[in-house]
Amino acid sequence: MWIVFESRDGSSTLLSERFGVTYHSKYGALQESAHVFIKEGLFYKCIAKKELKILEMGFGTGLNALLTQQKAGSIGLKIEYTAIEKYPVDQDVLEKLNYCEKLQMFNGNCFFKRLHECPWEEPVQLADYFAITKKKQSFEEITFESTFDLIYYDAFAPNIQPELWEAPILKKMYGALDKGGVLVTYCAKGDFKRTLKAIGFEVKTLKGPPGKREMIRAKKTE
């Protein structure tokens, strides 16, 4: 169901045989996640707040959560992380990914392993500054009991799952954000930007990661 291969920056990614698409950019999995979600998302929000509630739509390999934990620990952030994933990756596949090696996390009790071994559907405190709740649900099914400061929108591309980039789901994302909250994603298609603006987001087109010209940061201003 998944094929492991090395992206151009040396970090692992997966090809989903179910959807026929890779989980990350072939130009660099780590580079893409660090640029889109950490630099333009986490670092943007932590200027004003040192405690953040993050929603990840598309948990996938767990790379975004791993990078978030690493950066939070180094700069003194407290994170409450909620991750949504309908198709969790099998453990034997995850063991083939080289993120801990690339990030020089050589401790035998690597956070990446603990991240994937913790149970679904319940909050788990993985560090004094990082708690996670993983939910095995589709984007269409999910409802939220609280709001978030930041959304990592990491669904498969619009040509693969177009329904996840249309108004019904994006309105749900708007409602899931606090005022001033932001959604960051690698996608910068014109139809997607127009839909975000129609919903009420303030949309900013930013420089994309290596191999991609642009990305989006959308802010809830009301």
Side-chain angles (χ1 to χ4, degrees), residues 125-165:
Q125 194 78 38
L126 290 179
D128 57 1
Y129 58 90
F130 190 97
I132 187 169
T133 304
K134 300 188 300 184
K135 294 181 177 291
K136 188 178 177 181
Q137 292 179 284
S138 71
F139 290 14
E140 294 90 341
E141 295 170 335
I142 194 68
T143 57
F144 304 108
E145 298 177 357
S146 60
T147 51
F148 301 89
D149 302 294
L150 174 60
I151 296 176
Y152 296 164
Y153 204 76
D154 204 11
F156 287 137
N159 63 314
I160 304 298
Q161 293 182 300
E163 69 279 6
L164 303 186
W165 301 88

Side-chain angles (χ1 to χ4, degrees), residues 163-175:
E163 69 279 6
L164 303 186
W165 301 88
E166 296 172 351
I169 297 295
L170 297 176
K171 285 179 180 177
K172 188 179 288 191
M173 297 300 99
Y174 188 86

Side-chain angles (χ1 to χ4, degrees), residues 197-214:
K197 290 176 182 177
I199 290 168
F201 280 104
E202 177 184 285
V203 177
K204 188 168 185 178
T205 302
L206 304 169
K207 180 181 177 182
K212 188 168 181 60
R213 189 164 60 91
E214 296 175 338

Side-chain angles (χ1 to χ4, degrees), residues 80-95:
E80 185 178 326
Y81 201 99
T82 300
I84 312 301
E85 178 58 62
K86 187 175 182 180
Y87 304 107
V89 178
D90 291 346
Q91 189 63 39
D92 63 329
V93 176
L94 293 166
E95 289 172 358

